[in-house]
Amino acid sequence: MRQLEEKILAEGTVLPGDILKVGSFLNQRIDTRLLKAMGVEIARLYEGCGVTKIMTIEASGIAIACAAGMEMGVPVLFAKKHRTSNVDGSVYQTIVHSFTHNEDYNVVISRDYLDASDHVLLVDDFLARGQALEGMIELVHLAGAQLTGVAIAIEKCFNGAGDALRRKGVRIESLAMIESMTDGEIVFRS
Amino acid sequence: MRQLEEKILAEGTVLPGDILKVGSFLNQRIDTRLLKAMGVEIARLYEGCGVTKIMTIEASGIAIACAAGMEMGVPVLFAKKHRTSNVDGSVYQTIVHSFTHNEDYNVVISRDYLDASDHVLLVDDFLARGQALEGMIELVHLAGAQLTGVAIAIEKCFNGAGDALRRKGVRIESLAMIESMTDGEIVFRS
């Protein structure tokens, strides 16, 4: 998506440790015109695919998931992060490892909001090592629902998780795909 | 806002401790048609008021803030919760007490994204005791910005914080105002 790529080149900052800082338009401060355009693009990509629900993990994916959900006219589910495990059986839950914070956390979603009749589109702001995405895929499977596909704002292709999931047959649409950002130079996949 | 009030009556659940559970449409699972309608209504209420930025605190206010921001065509800022204090001077910060979790946390926003030229609309999903809202008002003041007003999805009027701020001259527009919910019966302010 050209508009997002141009914004990344104009305002993104590459920090040590392969961190791409996009606080001026994607988190901390959201450019709502770009956000709406991303929602429209995700809706276009998955038009006619029978999506019944969008799922994201709080908090950074909420804005994009809601923008897409409003365009597509489908509900958005927030999987929630918990430090403690829920054992009362009212939720689907799995464990996700965060490389950013170097800790494991439980990701849960209420059984009330997801079931085997659902066709789910997973949405998130970043795809790098794929831990959060794999956690959401596990929740979809636990519910017996169908995974229609994935929509990501920015994929760090060099981490490999996106391509590994594609090889397993998962449809992943990333609005900006960064092939490399060595020495601060951002190169998109063509 | 009639549509929101009807949804609260149809799907909201009153739990002990004056908790209103709205997980089926406002958090956990978002009704995106209602979300869009709330964004349109907030934009209507503050039309012509010169709002330059919307601010919310992550995570539960993000969806409504973005819906309003997309309608109004202004950026959305997320104040972030931190357990630790930031002392490097790059942020505005204040302390907010959470009654829900019975703990204090730091709320911060980057100085890069808010300054004295801004006219800020604060948006959140709930207004009860007003701790989060007062924290955001403090951040606006620290930046030397103007507080244009506040937009809330659901105000628990019986907690009194909304009316106390109105008496101080703060404009607060709540889309649903709950006067009481004694014995599980929800009564709206007329």
Side-chain angles (χ1 to χ4, degrees), chain A residues 21-24 26-33 35-36 53 58-60 62-63 65-67 69-80 83 109-110 112-113, chain B residues 21-24 26-33 35-36 53 58-60 62-63 65-67 69-80 83 109-110 112-113:
Chain A
K21 193 165 175 282
V22 289
S24 69
L26 199 59
N27 37 51
Q28 290 193 64
R29 179 184 184 280
I30 290 257
D31 179 328
T32 53
R33 288 173 212 273
L35 181 66
K36 191 172 173 69
K53 280 177 192 152
E58 64 178 9
S60 59
I62 293 176
C66 287
M70 284 191 281
E71 289 300 325
M72 298 173 75
V74 299
V76 173
L77 306 181
F78 303 158
K80 292 186 172 280
R83 278 154 193 278
I109 199 149
S110 170
D112 292 342
Y113 305 135
Chain B
K21 193 165 175 283
V22 290
S24 68
L26 198 59
N27 37 50
Q28 292 192 60
R29 179 185 183 280
I30 291 255
D31 179 328
T32 52
R33 287 174 212 273
L35 180 67
K36 190 172 173 69
K53 282 179 189 151
E58 63 178 11
S60 58
I62 293 176
C66 286
M70 283 191 281
E71 289 300 325
M72 298 172 76
V74 299
V76 173
L77 305 181
F78 303 159
K80 292 186 171 280
R83 279 153 192 278
I109 198 148
S110 169
D112 292 342
Y113 305 135

Side-chain angles (χ1 to χ4, degrees), chain B:
Chain B
M1 185 182 171
R2 193 182 183 85
Q3 191 182 348
L4 177 58
E5 290 181 352
E6 287 173 353
K7 195 79 172 177
I8 292 168
L9 291 176
E11 298 186 20
T13 313
V14 180
L15 301 179
D18 284 335
I19 292 167
L20 177 63
K21 193 165 175 283
V22 290
S24 68
F25 61 95
L26 198 59
N27 37 50
Q28 292 192 60
R29 179 185 183 280
I30 291 255
D31 179 328
T32 52
R33 287 174 212 273
L34 176 61
L35 180 67
K36 190 172 173 69
M38 290 193 289
V40 168
E41 177 65 3
I42 292 169
R44 188 189 68 78
L45 287 163
Y46 283 97
E47 191 176 359
C49 295
V51 172
T52 60
K53 282 179 189 151
I54 288 173
M55 189 198 295
T56 190
I57 292 187
E58 63 178 11
S60 58
I62 293 176
I64 297 166
C66 286
M70 283 191 281
E71 289 300 325
M72 298 172 76
V74 299
V76 173
L77 305 181
F78 303 159
K80 292 186 171 280
K81 295 176 185 173
H82 286 289
R83 279 153 192 278
T84 52
S85 177
N86 179 314
V87 291
D88 73 3
S90 65
V91 299
Y92 301 111
Q93 82 181 324
T94 188
I95 295 171
V96 168
H97 180 75
S98 166
F99 284 100
T100 311
H101 301 103
N102 192 29
E103 64 181 5
D104 291 341
Y105 54 90
N106 292 281
V107 176
V108 305
I109 198 148
S110 169
R111 286 174 186 257
D112 292 342
Y113 305 135
L114 188 64
D115 64 42
S117 70
D118 280 314
H119 294 252
V120 183
L121 173 63
L122 303 177
V123 174
D124 212 347
D125 57 346
F126 274 95
L127 170 56
R129 302 201 210 195
Q131 305 293 314
L133 182 55
E134 286 179 14
M136 286 196 284
I137 291 172
E138 174 70 10
L139 293 178
V140 171
H141 289 159
L142 287 171
Q146 298 296 312
L147 175 63
T148 303
V150 178
I152 299 290
I154 302 175
E155 178 177 346
K156 293 173 171 174
C157 302
F158 53 86
N159 283 123
D163 289 334
L165 283 165
R166 286 183 185 99
R167 284 193 292 272
K168 290 183 185 172
V170 178
R171 178 179 175 191
I172 302 179
E173 302 282 356
S174 298
L175 304 184
M177 303 181 74
I178 298 178
E179 200 66 81
S180 68
M181 42 189 216
T182 311
D183 299 330
E185 189 197 356
I186 295 167
V187 178
F188 294 106
R189 183 176 286 186
S190 54

